Amino acid sequence: MWLIRSSVGRKLVMSVSGVVLLLFLLFHLSMNVAAVFSADAYNTICALLGANWYAVAATAVLAGIIAIHFIYAAMITLQNRKARGNSHYAVSSRPRGVSWVSQNMFVIGIVVLGFMVLHLSQFWYKMMFAELMGHHEVALCDGTTLHPQDGAAFIRYYFSHLWVVAAYLVWYAALWLHLTHGVWSAIQTVGWSNRIWLKRWKVIGNVVATLIFLGFAFVTLFFYAKSLCGGSCC
């Protein structure tokens, strides 16, 4: 099958899956920003996206897309290394016109994926998964118990810890690096680019990546600052 064996097919699959994941990131960001303005609004969204069949199905599809994106990225990386051969020069040097981010996209992707495990263990596992298991209360490390659909409380709890905030900021930075190359590269692969639009897509990709970084970072820092003043000054 050409989508698996062909270099063009592999890049196309990775690009399309990447665009889908980008759209999910924008949706996730809009949810998080809603939590800043209204805990009730955020919890309403959490209730709609709880253990309902459509939310579970969408989560399964999303997990599949993430797996496909990572697997194809690994395939392309191995293919590129094989094409370069075993020369130390070919591996260690960076060709002219090739950015550091472009050359290290797979490594950055592993960092993003690693931090995603932390995120899932703190939110998805204790919210949707706990609800699927029939739990009406979830115990946290400090002995606090929360309802699986009280997403705003989970955000307040985790983003009140400095190490969590620092870890998430590193995650956002890795995500920013990944997106600054991934957005325009995906557009170019699917054929929506030319010599004129390539530079424009690069600018658009940088803007989108920066907005996503700043949006997630703002929410994280907002709730951390709110925890420092007990919620009375924010």
Side-chain angles (χ1 to χ4, degrees):
M1 188 176 181
W2 76 276
L3 289 176
I4 298 177
R5 298 177 181 176
S6 167
S7 174
V8 175
R10 291 175 180 177
K11 290 181 180 179
L12 180 62
V13 171
M14 191 174 70
S15 297
V16 172
S17 61
V19 171
V20 174
L21 294 176
L22 174 63
L23 294 176
F24 171 75
L25 276 175
L26 293 172
F27 168 73
H28 198 336
L29 175 59
S30 65
M31 278 185 60
N32 285 19
V33 171
V36 171
F37 298 98
S38 173
D40 291 337
Y42 184 75
N43 285 343
T44 297
I45 299 173
C46 290
L48 292 173
L49 300 178
N52 300 302
W53 69 267
Y54 50 84
V56 174
T59 301
V61 171
L62 181 64
I65 293 174
I66 292 173
I68 290 172
H69 190 72
F70 183 78
I71 290 171
Y72 272 77
M75 292 168 63
I76 292 173
T77 300
L78 292 174
Q79 173 186 302
N80 291 340
R81 289 184 177 180
K82 184 178 180 180
R84 286 197 300 263
N86 297 321
S87 170
H88 175 75
Y89 174 80
V91 173
S92 61
S93 65
R94 184 168 72 245
R96 180 178 298 180
V98 177
S99 67
W100 179 89
V101 174
S102 174
Q103 199 173 34
N104 292 277
M105 279 290 282
F106 185 69
V107 175
I108 297 172
I110 291 178
V111 174
V112 172
L113 190 65
F115 277 100
M116 190 182 300
V117 174
L118 172 66
H119 179 65
L120 292 175
S121 68
Q122 292 177 335
F123 291 92
W124 177 83
Y125 179 74
K126 295 181 179 178
M127 295 176 68
M128 178 183 282
F129 183 77
E131 194 174 354
L132 286 171
M133 294 297 101
H135 301 310
H136 299 290
E137 289 186 340
V138 177
L140 302 177
C141 294
D142 63 354
T144 303
T145 57
L146 299 175
H147 191 280
Q149 291 184 359
D150 193 356
F154 280 98
I155 290 179
R156 288 194 299 269
Y157 173 77
Y158 283 114
F159 290 162
S160 66
H161 296 78
L162 181 59
W163 77 267
V164 175
V165 172
Y168 272 77
L169 290 177
V170 171
W171 184 26
Y172 303 151
L175 189 61
W176 178 82
L177 288 171
H178 198 71
L179 291 175
T180 53
H181 175 79
V183 173
W184 68 262
S185 180
I187 297 299
Q188 183 183 44
T189 299
V190 298
W192 296 344
S193 181
N194 52 39
R195 290 185 178 180
I196 297 177
W197 270 95
L198 180 58
K199 292 183 179 180
R200 296 176 182 176
W201 280 120
K202 286 185 177 181
V203 173
I204 293 172
N206 288 337
V207 170
V208 171
T210 302
L211 288 176
I212 290 175
F213 169 80
L214 292 177
F216 280 118
F218 166 72
V219 173
T220 301
L221 293 173
F222 173 85
F223 280 100
Y224 179 67
K226 193 170 183 178
S227 71
L228 294 179
C229 58
S232 60
C233 60
C234 299

